[in-house]
Amino acid sequence: MNEANAGVLVCDGKEGITPLDRQLAEWLRKNYKVPIFLAVNKCESEKSGISQAQEFWSLGLGKPYPVSGIHGTGLSDLLDDIIVDTKMSKITSVLKENCTNVAFVGRPNVGKSSLFNRMYGSSRSIVSNIAGTTRDTIDALITRDGVQYRIIDTAGIRKKGKVEYGAEFFMVNRAFKAMRRAEVVVLMLDAIDGIVDQDRILAERIANEGRSCVIALNKWDIVPSKDDKTYLKAIDNIRSNLPSLRWAEIVLISALTGQRTDKLFDAIDRAGKQFTRRIPTNILNEVVQDATLWQAPPSIGARSGRIYYTIQTSSAPPTLVMFVNNPALFTDGYQRYLERKIRDSLDFEGTPMKIIWRGKALRDIGRAVRKGDATVNKMSTATGNVRGPLNSNSRIAKADKK
Ligand code: GDP
């Protein structure tokens, strides 16, 4: 109830009012200021449904709504009135515009629930204490400086003890599900225990799912005799052990003392922004051209790689398509180099980036670019006639601007 914008007391219309209904109604009336609605269930009968509900006026919660959970009767009236009374439509639009979905993942005892509690504030009630919610996902909303964060699956974060599949299976499976609903994943690591296999599994999954990420190295408060070197060593250790998240920002925190948890929020904001960022095509092409000037694409025999044109086809995560003469000419090393250059030049940190390499005849590229994402995604990787590289004043660049 502490989390809710409205409450619905559900009673059994066939059974009539019970002493427990009266107690619940009184408790709700006394303790909560939000609108309380009274749903009288099992009132599907057209004849007796409405009269069945009438006696519930005496609970003092206002109009009883005759409904049927099984048949769905009466529910739309109830929901319409809830929306009007709670001004829910406004709340929903705020959420859509201004809400970052965040998942906290990490192995047991790394400090997820401590961090969540700290972020959420101790005055709010703990959602997982509500019976029957252990298997459900419950999200929590946190507002900071006018920005809303939806913390995903707080019941999963707070889940303790053994479950039927074993704690580990439960943790991993639940974390995977939470990730899929998130824009930003906070991967929590333990500064004392170091990095273990479970951390690597989670890290790889975050990268594979294409989610943005902040790495929170927790329990920094109890790292003994810290100096500048300790800090650098900790960062180095994460970078070399979790290469799939090399682009993620690392924040050293203490969920227990609150040290740098504010910085964690800032990093989440940055990661969220980068995740949905769009780069103008001309800037992207300038950056790529500049990168090829520093280091020319590789050659195999007499054939050298040529990059004709680059576009961003989508965001979340940012996805680029490189039109080239022949993708086979671009070695892994060169692909990594180019990604690094693009990231550095455009300050892409905190988000994965997908780069798709397309072999395409030069004459076909303009048409493909103009047709947009759908065409780009369907295009084959076959090589075609190659006439030479484009420069920044190319026909295609001009056509794209139009
Ligand atoms: P979870 O299983 O990931 O949710 O971990 P908990 O939040 O339950 O934390 C596990 C234990 O680590 C608890 O005893 C916490 O008090 C402790 N803990 C969590 N965060 C910190 C921290 O930043 N510093 C220290 N010293 N202990 C912490």
Side-chain angles (χ1 to χ4, degrees), residues 107-114 157 160 218-219 221-222 253-256:
R107 61 203 167 85
N109 287 324
V110 77
K112 296 179 297 298
S113 58
S114 306
I157 291 170
K160 296 279 177 224
N218 192 31
K219 307 194 186 175
D221 56 313
I222 43 171
I253 63 160
S254 167
L256 201 68

Side-chain angles (χ1 to χ4, degrees), residues 82-375:
I82 291 176
I83 284 169
V84 171
D85 266 31
T86 54
K87 302 179 182 66
M88 281 296 275
S89 51
K90 278 191 191 144
I91 293 170
T92 317
S93 70
V94 169
L95 281 182
K96 270 192 197 141
E97 283 161 21
N98 217 356
C99 187
T100 308
N101 295 311
V102 184
F104 291 155
V105 302
R107 61 203 167 85
N109 287 324
V110 77
K112 296 179 297 298
S113 58
S114 306
L115 178 65
F116 170 69
N117 287 344
R118 178 155 285 281
M119 285 180 150
Y120 200 47
S122 49
S123 62
R124 308 296 299 264
S125 78
I126 293 159
V127 280
S128 64
N129 282 348
I130 300 166
T133 60
T134 46
R135 284 289 166 135
D136 301 338
T137 59
I138 300 173
D139 303 342
L141 288 175
I142 295 177
T143 306
R144 176 187 173 255
D145 299 339
V147 181
Q148 259 189 334
Y149 304 84
R150 180 189 292 265
I151 309 297
I152 296 190
D153 188 14
T154 54
I157 291 170
R158 311 185 61 91
K159 184 76 198 164
K160 296 279 177 224
K162 290 213 167 34
V163 288
E164 59 193 282
Y165 308 108
E168 209 160 295
F169 170 85
F170 187 81
M171 180 287 284
V172 171
N173 199 32
R174 194 139 194 172
F176 286 179
K177 279 190 186 154
M179 269 178 210
R180 257 175 252 138
R181 294 176 53 221
E183 278 126 23
V184 184
V185 180
V186 176
L187 173 64
M188 288 189 78
L189 304 174
D190 189 314
I192 302 299
D193 290 357
I195 293 167
V196 298
D197 279 349
Q198 281 171 312
D199 301 324
R200 289 190 191 92
I201 290 169
L202 288 171
E204 264 166 39
R205 188 68 171 223
I206 296 168
N208 289 343
E209 290 281 349
R211 294 301 186 265
S212 65
C213 177
V214 179
I215 297 175
L217 184 63
N218 192 31
K219 307 194 186 175
W220 192 247
D221 56 313
I222 43 171
V223 171
S225 49
K226 291 184 280 267
D227 57 21
D228 288 355
K229 278 189 196 140
T230 330
Y231 165 83
L232 292 173
K233 241 171 103 179
I235 304 274
D236 262 10
N237 182 39
I238 294 172
R239 291 291 179 224
S240 56
N241 273 288
L242 304 178
S244 52
L245 295 180
R246 62 195 170 280
W247 39 262
E249 206 175 320
I250 301 172
V251 189
L252 283 55
I253 63 160
S254 167
L256 201 68
T257 66
Q259 191 186 10
R260 277 191 291 273
T261 47
D262 240 30
K263 292 234 157 48
L264 182 61
F265 266 119
D266 295 340
I268 290 170
D269 290 347
R270 280 191 290 276
K273 275 207 186 92
Q274 297 301 319
F275 188 60
T276 51
R277 193 168 150 201
R278 289 228 168 233
I279 306 289
T281 309
N282 56 338
I283 292 178
L284 196 54
N285 280 278
E286 253 172 52
V287 168
V288 172
Q289 204 183 23
D290 192 57
T292 58
L293 291 177
W294 283 108
Q295 192 176 323
S299 310
I300 298 178
R303 295 187 308 157
S304 41
R306 280 175 176 170
I307 301 173
Y308 299 136
Y309 200 61
T310 309
I311 54 170
Q312 180 176 355
T313 54
S314 56
S315 61
T319 304
L320 313 181
V321 176
M322 299 267 177
F323 293 102
V324 301
N325 56 345
N326 180 0
L329 294 169
F330 292 83
T331 56
D332 287 354
Y334 196 79
Q335 291 189 12
R336 276 199 300 275
Y337 159 75
L338 208 62
E339 181 179 336
R340 201 171 57 244
K341 272 286 188 190
I342 292 171
R343 281 185 180 282
D344 291 350
S345 313
L346 298 171
D347 268 340
F348 260 117
E349 196 183 19
T351 177
M353 180 182 279
K354 277 193 200 156
I355 300 184
I356 299 164
W357 296 78
R358 293 279 189 234
K360 198 70 189 163
L362 179 59
R363 64 164 183 268
D364 295 332
I365 295 174
R367 195 167 7 117
V369 166
R370 280 192 299 276
K371 278 194 178 170
D373 295 8
T375 317

